[in-house]
Amino acid sequence: MRSTLIALALATLSQVALADRALGKQKFSDGKVKYAAGDYRGAAELFEAAYHEDPDPAYIFNVGQAYRRSAEAKSAGTSHECQKAMFAYKKFLAQMPDAPNKVEVDGYIKETTACAGPLATELIEPVRVKPDKPIDRPIEKPIPRPVEHAGTSTLQWTGIGVGAVGVLVLGVGIYYTKLGHDTASEHDELVVQVKRNELTGARREAALTRIQTLENKGPDQNTRAYAGWLIGGGLVLGGALLYVLGEAKPQEHALVVAPSKDGAMVLGSFRF
């Protein structure tokens, strides 16, 4: 009877542990959504809740990541976020002293300690964790991932727009260049015919009138062609320069730690 009760108790504890892990994983997933949306404070609170349900070091590491990013996203009043990030990183290393990303975490601790200022020496309320919860899942070696591009910046879109206008203006220049060439060809042909006396009477008079018209139109067409080439070329070059100057910087990876079936994967943050 006693052994049966013990077996039932162990089974119950096992089911509770599985439920806690599932709840922790769900809160972690919800936190990742907020993190990706830029709500770092909300993400940190969900990661803390995940750690409360299942004290996996991966979760407390992400608490530090979220608070650090929250501090970076603000222009002032970041001391408290830096303080919380610092304590989260220290708690992570206390649980995982041989963590594969220890060098990076040490760097984060130095960064957030400096940011926290006087608050770095003050104690904060620790994340509450359910008692008697074993930490039995190691963190695996970091998995290298390429740095993601931050996307097309506003300056780059401006450069694209300026370049597109430049292409249109170049098209106008090409049109007037061809028009001017056709005008010059017709003018020269009529002049030759008149000089050779190939035209007589009304045809000669009409040719002379046409020659005068072409001589008036030619310079205007050439001016428009030159302006199109000059302005269009300048806009295209200016657009290309704006695009290069506005090249977006690589962004730090979003969530870098995720629990797996046999452990947790640390995907380290990349900074340039």
Side-chain angles (χ1 to χ4, degrees):
M1 182 68 174
R2 182 179 180 182
S3 60
T4 301
L5 291 175
I6 293 175
L8 288 174
L10 291 174
T12 301
L13 290 174
S14 176
Q15 291 299 318
V16 171
L18 290 175
D20 290 343
R21 285 188 177 182
L23 184 56
K25 188 174 181 179
Q26 180 59 51
K27 291 184 180 298
F28 176 75
S29 297
D30 295 340
K32 286 196 295 184
V33 173
K34 286 186 175 293
Y35 192 104
D39 183 5
Y40 302 120
R41 185 64 181 269
E45 293 173 356
L46 284 169
F47 295 153
E48 287 180 336
Y51 185 77
H52 170 70
E53 298 298 332
D54 181 17
D56 190 316
Y59 296 145
I60 199 66
F61 174 81
N62 278 292
V63 171
Q65 292 290 81
Y67 276 125
R68 181 173 60 83
R69 292 299 299 274
S70 177
E72 291 177 348
K74 297 180 179 179
S75 58
T78 61
S79 299
H80 288 286
E81 281 84 358
C82 290
Q83 179 197 38
K84 292 181 179 181
M86 178 195 69
F87 277 98
Y89 288 133
K90 287 184 176 181
K91 189 176 185 68
F92 170 73
L93 289 185
Q95 296 180 7
M96 296 293 299
D98 297 322
N101 63 336
K102 184 178 185 301
V103 175
E104 290 182 3
V105 177
D106 284 335
Y108 293 149
I109 290 175
K110 290 180 181 179
E111 176 184 334
T112 52
T113 299
C115 172
L119 294 179
T121 59
E122 295 182 9
L123 294 178
I124 60 176
E125 183 178 357
V127 177
R128 297 180 181 275
V129 183
K130 294 182 178 180
D132 302 324
K133 288 280 291 182
I135 301 174
D136 57 358
R137 288 186 286 168
I139 292 184
E140 299 172 357
K141 184 178 180 181
I143 300 175
R145 294 174 60 186
V147 177
E148 297 174 353
H149 195 273
T152 305
S153 67
T154 302
L155 191 59
Q156 283 183 307
W157 281 117
T158 302
I160 292 173
V162 171
V165 173
V167 171
L168 293 176
V169 176
L170 279 175
V172 174
I174 293 172
Y175 169 76
Y176 278 106
T177 297
K178 184 179 184 305
L179 201 61
H181 179 270
D182 294 342
T183 297
S185 297
E186 184 182 357
H187 174 273
D188 293 343
E189 183 179 351
L190 289 174
V191 168
V192 169
Q193 290 177 353
V194 170
K195 286 183 177 180
R196 292 178 179 177
N197 294 319
E198 296 177 1
L199 303 174
T200 59
R203 294 181 60 191
R204 180 182 177 83
E205 292 299 324
L208 291 173
T209 302
R210 181 60 177 168
I211 288 173
Q212 186 62 45
T213 301
L214 294 174
E215 288 178 350
N216 293 332
K217 292 174 60 177
D220 180 65
Q221 292 170 345
N222 291 335
T223 299
R224 295 188 182 190
Y226 293 145
W229 282 103
L230 184 62
I231 297 174
L235 289 173
V236 170
L237 291 176
L241 181 61
L242 288 174
Y243 188 88
V244 172
L245 293 176
E247 185 175 2
K249 297 180 179 179
Q251 65 181 7
E252 183 180 20
H253 275 289
L255 262 281
V256 295
V257 180
S260 63
K261 181 179 180 181
D262 300 318
M265 295 184 294
V266 180
L267 305 179
S269 297
F270 296 86
R271 316 192 73 166
F272 292 85

